[in-house]
Amino acid sequence: MDARYSPFHYRIFYSTPQPAKLFEPSPWQCKQTRMRTACFTICSRNYLAYALTLRESLLAVEPGRDFFIFLADSPLDDPSQLPGVVAIPAADLSLANFQDMAFRYSIMEFNTAIKASCFQHLLRKLDYDAAIYIDPDIQLFQPFDQVHAALENGASCVLTPHILSPLRDSAKPSDLDILASGTFNLGFGAFARTAESLAFLEWWAETMKHHCYVDLANGLFVDQRFMDFAPSFIDALTVIKDPGYNVAYWNLANRPVRKEDGIWMAAGSPLVFFHFSGVSPGSPDVFSKHQSRFDMTNIGDAAELVRNYTAALEDHGHAHWSTLPYAFGQFANGKHIVDVMRRGPPVDPSDPFREPNHVWWSTPTDRVDSVPGLTITRLMYAIHAARPDLMEMFPLSTASGQRGFHAWFITHGAQEYRIEKTSLEPAMAASPVRNRQLARLFARLRLARSRKPSGSQDLS
């Protein structure tokens, strides 16, 4: 290991909450910071309402702050739709394997895979002294005073942990779920332009070219798990433990949000920013779809935050932006890319978007000893392996599990994953019922004996 990354030489500065001063002006309002610092977010075009809502909240508490949107998508057809907004297409990052990453990663994976490169772009190419990343589904209520102070006092990196104390009930997410997704939540992160931070970003960006997957079984959760190395790799690391920073569904149990004299508070500290992960515009009763602990009836004053936030999304054009297609979501012939196909071999590695590799994906998998009358293709097996609920409901080690999964795939999975006819036909090739309508009817009758599984749970 490089001497710069020796695990025996590091120090961590913990930033702890200060007593609330409700009526004193923020240091940001009194003087500008000495460092030239930019803030940025990353999103695809369908998430631009979130990014614009974030931008509005940031500029309300830090007027004049330079803010960038990196588009993990194709450029806007009409940039005038975003007056005053600096939007940088991911292609402008000049990544050597851009096409490969855009194809191999899902939309969430790709958005997170370019994060380190965006930091490098701002610190190296645009010559900022520091850069602060903020997830698009965040809203600010106070300026980043502790972040700016840490950076000006010599911190190379500033992070916030998911939780500050254990989650002691049986709801989701649990401590183990948090452990699987990473100690630090990378909906926020800041880096100064120092030798050790630039070295870390170089390693992180290179690693993200190949390992930015949601693959919990193999210890990966996009870019987050790699930040667990930060205390070992970065000497001047500040971990902000103020409960007002990065409040979200995963820590709300220990950080109750209240409005006191018109000021939002979290566990007694001024609320700096709230992370609305899992909020569903158009579903007013949903607090976050990624958890089972809360709904809109038991989160107290935070329900007002959520209602105000979804209204702000609508004001910033969510109804329009959310309909824009993802540029890297289909092949050149217009066929939808099933995400699990991204991890298989393309027909043409030099042009992975050219066409689906039907020959490879339609081949029966060699990982299952299929029962007579059923075919489990590589595509079917990949979908099954990516879904813990399917693996629990339909274990492929048993004949009944194979029959149940086969029935689910024909009746529900093909529609859910937008499987085209070419990929569906091999699933019925060995079936004694060759007529498609009869085969689906037969599958529905078989599946009726089992409970239809729900979608898999996001962990962050």
Side-chain angles (χ1 to χ4, degrees):
M1 181 178 288
D2 192 310
R4 292 170 298 184
Y5 297 154
S6 169
F8 303 107
H9 299 87
Y10 69 89
R11 63 188 188 277
I12 304 177
F13 301 101
Y14 291 99
S15 179
T16 54
Q18 302 297 318
K21 300 178 180 180
L22 301 184
F23 303 105
E24 293 187 13
S26 160
W28 172 262
Q29 296 171 307
C30 298
K31 64 176 183 179
Q32 295 287 327
T33 58
R34 295 186 299 274
M35 301 180 74
R36 184 168 175 259
T37 302
C39 290
F40 73 99
T41 194
I42 304 169
C43 70
S44 298
R45 295 179 301 177
N46 66 324
Y47 241 58
L48 275 169
Y50 292 81
L52 295 173
T53 300
L54 163 64
R55 176 179 180 269
E56 180 182 60
S57 70
L58 171 67
L59 297 182
V61 297
E62 296 196 1
R65 172 68 63 203
D66 289 351
F67 179 77
F68 298 85
I69 298 174
F70 287 88
L71 276 177
D73 210 325
S74 61
L76 290 174
D77 296 331
D78 181 9
S80 67
Q81 292 178 292
L82 298 177
V85 177
V86 181
I88 303 175
D92 288 1
L93 297 174
S94 301
L95 298 172
N97 60 338
F98 177 82
Q99 281 289 98
D100 172 68
M101 291 175 67
F103 176 77
R104 192 161 32 83
Y105 289 140
S106 70
I107 186 171
M108 183 176 82
E109 291 167 345
F110 186 56
N111 271 261
T112 50
I114 66 172
K115 191 181 300 175
S117 298
C118 295
F119 272 112
Q120 290 177 309
H121 185 86
L122 292 170
L123 298 177
R124 287 186 179 275
K125 187 171 183 178
L126 300 187
D127 204 32
Y128 281 94
D129 298 317
I132 301 172
Y133 171 76
I134 319 164
D135 258 0
D137 55 356
I138 281 175
Q139 193 170 32
L140 273 75
F141 299 90
Q142 299 286 342
F144 285 128
D145 288 341
Q146 292 187 44
V147 181
H148 295 305
L151 293 170
E152 292 197 353
N153 287 329
S156 292
C157 176
V158 184
L159 300 172
T160 57
H162 274 106
I163 54 177
L164 301 175
S165 54
L167 298 165
R168 300 186 182 277
D169 58 20
S170 59
K172 292 288 187 177
S174 65
D175 292 344
L176 293 180
D177 295 324
I178 298 296
L179 197 62
S181 60
T183 298
F184 303 104
N185 178 259
L186 289 193
F188 163 86
F191 284 89
R193 194 177 68 236
T194 67
E196 68 171 353
S197 67
L198 293 176
F200 182 88
L201 289 170
E202 183 178 357
W203 164 80
W204 191 25
E206 186 65 27
T207 304
M208 292 302 95
K209 291 179 181 179
H210 306 287
H211 302 291
C212 193
Y213 291 114
V214 178
D215 188 0
L216 296 172
N218 288 304
L220 297 179
F221 187 72
V222 290
D223 60 337
Q224 275 188 175
R225 289 301 307 275
F226 295 93
M227 199 54 65
D228 288 353
F229 284 123
S232 301
F233 290 5
I234 300 175
D235 284 351
L237 170 66
T238 294
V239 177
I240 293 181
K241 299 183 71 175
D242 187 316
Y245 279 72
N246 212 349
V247 182
Y249 73 80
W250 51 79
N251 56 38
L252 187 64
N254 297 320
R255 305 191 198 183
V257 171
R258 295 186 177 87
K259 197 172 188 180
E260 301 177 9
D261 297 324
I263 295 179
W264 287 103
M265 309 290 289
S269 286
L271 175 63
V272 178
F273 65 93
F274 197 99
H275 197 156
F276 292 93
S277 178
V279 167
S280 301
S283 301
D285 298 328
V286 175
F287 166 55
S288 173
K289 61 186 179 183
H290 300 324
Q291 52 83 53
S292 65
R293 187 171 281 111
F294 298 109
D295 58 36
M296 290 290 283
T297 67
N298 63 0
I299 58 174
D301 290 354
E304 181 182 342
L305 277 182
V306 176
R307 287 191 292 269
N308 292 344
Y309 181 70
T310 55
L313 292 179
E314 294 304 321
D315 290 344
H316 285 98
H318 178 70
H320 164 67
W321 297 118
S322 63
T323 64
L324 297 188
Y326 180 46
F328 310 119
Q330 54 276 325
F331 291 99
N333 61 4
K335 298 295 184 181
H336 170 67
I337 300 177
V338 181
D339 275 343
V340 296
M341 284 185 171
R342 296 177 181 274
R343 301 198 191 183
V347 171
D348 181 0
S350 67
D351 184 11
F353 290 95
R354 194 182 83 186
E355 61 181 323
N357 192 346
H358 287 305
V359 173
W360 198 87
W361 285 109
S362 298
T363 300
T365 180
D366 59 3
R367 300 190 180 187
V368 176
D369 294 325
S370 297
V371 301
L374 295 179
T375 295
I376 305 295
T377 65
R378 283 171 170 161
L379 177 59
M380 295 170 67
Y381 181 82
I383 290 173
H384 184 273
R387 292 276 296 270
D389 57 334
L390 293 175
M391 290 189 287
E392 180 180 0
M393 178 68 67
F394 308 121
L396 298 184
S397 58
T398 67
S400 61
Q402 289 186 36
R403 293 189 184 100
F405 173 62
H406 189 273
W408 174 86
F409 182 79
I410 292 175
T411 58
H412 299 292
Q415 181 177 2
E416 179 179 335
Y417 283 87
R418 296 164 60 187
I419 304 294
E420 59 179 300
K421 180 180 177 180
T422 307
S423 297
L424 181 61
E425 291 296 344
M428 296 187 288
S431 173
V433 184
R434 299 303 176 90
N435 180 277
R436 292 184 68 194
Q437 290 184 333
L438 290 178
R440 285 182 170 176
L441 176 60
F442 182 73
R444 287 192 178 94
L445 292 174
R446 178 180 288 162
L447 189 63
R449 301 173 186 173
S450 304
R451 176 177 57 87
K452 177 185 175 184
S454 59
S456 57
Q457 184 181 45
D458 197 329
L459 296 176
S460 183

